[in-house]
Amino acid sequence: MTTMTATAEAPLVLTPDQELELVKKELPAKRGEFRKIFPLFKGYYRVNFHNDETNAITRSYFVQVNGSKLTY
């Protein structure tokens, strides 16, 4: 008789500061724009990119931090 033992890995839990750093790393600002990050609730963020000259929003993302990756 063969027995198999499998260990389930615990999901990666990040602190709010680590989540914010992950969002900053994954969504950098391009030349000519600046980024504003708004924490909405645990693990969810709104990231807006504004034009440097006009302050108009050029891109916007709603993201969820899942472990070490972002879900759009």
Side-chain angles (χ1 to χ4, degrees):
M1 180 175 187
T2 305
T3 59
M4 296 181 69
T5 57
T7 57
E9 291 187 27
L12 180 61
V13 178
L14 300 176
T15 66
D17 289 337
Q18 290 172 323
E19 287 181 355
L20 189 58
E21 286 303 315
L22 180 63
V23 172
K24 288 179 181 178
K25 179 182 173 189
E26 292 291 321
L27 293 169
K30 296 179 182 177
R31 180 180 292 161
E33 65 183 13
F34 63 95
R35 173 186 60 208
K36 289 185 181 178
I37 300 173
F38 303 95
L40 302 175
F41 41 91
K42 179 77 174 116
Y44 291 87
Y45 297 86
R46 168 62 70 193
V47 183
N48 292 333
F49 294 89
H50 297 259
N51 182 297
D52 278 341
E53 295 174 8
T54 63
N55 198 30
I57 296 175
T58 57
R59 298 184 288 148
S60 184
Y61 300 97
F62 179 72
V63 297
Q64 177 186 13
V65 178
N66 288 320
S68 61
K69 65 177 186 168
L70 294 183
T71 303
Y72 297 86

